[in-house]
């Protein structure tokens, strides 16, 4: 199973649903996940890892500690820089996804239209549906490119927010949302 799972990920240009891997391996989803985690450990000595793009998508990626040498090898020595506003916004999205622009603005206290466009253009976030409320606002979530750029195997690898920061974000979002009818307060799975 390990070799077959590795080969499937190697030939795939996009993240692969775990259910598709389980089907091809003739095993349960749980067994496929266990195989993929074992594969990630087996790949470490050669600088590769499995990256979990979501709870159901996985792909091969390179180890974060090799980013510098790989950038040089590929002639991409220019480091991608994000503004403080972009970093703040993508962090909020990562920890609270899916979120609307109004959710972000409730926490940040400023218009997020421009920074969302920047993050979309760089492929770090993507539309993840629409909220079923007045105006049907777009919900945003991070992408596999976000995981790659920040050297994460999955969103579970995000550092845990200190309790007081997580509570403060929730309180501020709830207070701002209460003042703005028609918006939603998403608690997200990470905050």
């Amino acid at each position: 199973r390990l070799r077959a799972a590795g080969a499937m990920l190697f030939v795939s240009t996009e993240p692969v649903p775990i259910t598709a891997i389980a089907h091809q391996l003739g095993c349960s989803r749980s067994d496929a996940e266990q195989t993929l985690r074992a594969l990630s450990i087996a790949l470490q000595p050669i600088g590769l890892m499995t990256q979990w793009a979501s709870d159901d998508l996985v792909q091969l990626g390179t180890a974060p500690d090799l980013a510098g040498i790989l950038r040089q090898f590929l002639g991409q020595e220019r480091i991608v820089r994000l503004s403080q506003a972009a970093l703040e916004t993508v962090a909020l999205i990562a920890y609270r996804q899916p979120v609307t622009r109004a959710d972000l603005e409730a926490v940040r206290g400023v218009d997020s239209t421009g920074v969302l466009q920047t993050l979309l253009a760089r492929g770090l976030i993507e539309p993840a549906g629409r909220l079923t409320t007045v105006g049907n606002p777009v919900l945003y979530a991070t992408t596999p490119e976000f995981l790659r750029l920040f050297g994460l195997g999955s969103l579970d690898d995000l550092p845990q927010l200190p309790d007081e920061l997580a509570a403060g974000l929730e309180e501020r979002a709830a207070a701002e949302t209460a003042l703005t009818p028609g918006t939603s307060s998403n608690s997200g799975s990470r905050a």
Side-chain angles (χ1 to χ4, degrees), residues 13-187:
T13 58
E14 299 290 325
V16 180
I18 295 169
T19 52
I21 292 172
H23 177 74
Q24 290 299 313
L25 296 177
C27 65
S28 69
R29 177 190 168 94
S30 175
D31 287 343
E33 288 176 358
Q34 187 175 19
T35 298
L36 291 166
R37 294 196 194 291
L39 176 64
S40 193
I41 292 167
L43 292 171
Q44 286 177 357
I46 61 168
L48 298 175
M49 61 187 272
T50 55
Q51 286 184 313
W52 299 78
S54 70
D55 288 341
D56 189 51
L57 296 173
V58 66
Q59 65 186 15
L60 281 182
T62 55
D65 61 309
L66 298 175
I69 195 166
L70 292 175
R71 265 196 294 277
Q72 287 178 333
F73 175 72
L74 295 172
Q76 301 172 341
E77 295 178 35
R78 184 180 69 91
I79 297 174
V80 175
R81 301 237 187 257
L82 293 174
S83 68
Q84 185 65 34
L87 285 171
E88 192 176 279
T89 302
V90 78
L92 284 168
I93 293 169
Y95 279 98
R96 299 172 51 93
Q97 63 188 301
V99 297
T100 64
R101 188 184 83 209
D103 293 329
L104 295 168
E105 291 171 353
V107 173
R108 294 187 65 233
V110 297
D111 180 54
S112 296
T113 305
V115 75
L116 284 172
Q117 292 305 317
T118 298
L119 294 171
L120 285 165
R122 292 194 179 190
L124 299 177
I125 63 169
E126 64 188 357
R130 290 190 171 269
L131 192 61
T132 54
T133 188
V134 177
N136 293 71
V138 174
L139 291 165
Y140 295 99
T142 56
T143 64
E145 178 63 14
F146 165 81
L147 295 174
R148 187 196 67 73
L149 183 67
F150 287 92
L152 301 170
S154 73
L155 291 174
D156 292 334
D157 294 339
L158 285 169
Q160 191 66 35
L161 286 177
D163 290 340
E164 61 276 2
L165 180 57
L169 287 174
E170 291 302 319
E171 288 173 17
R172 184 166 178 187
E176 292 290 332
T177 301
L179 297 173
T180 313
T183 61
S184 109
S185 176
N186 290 309
S187 60

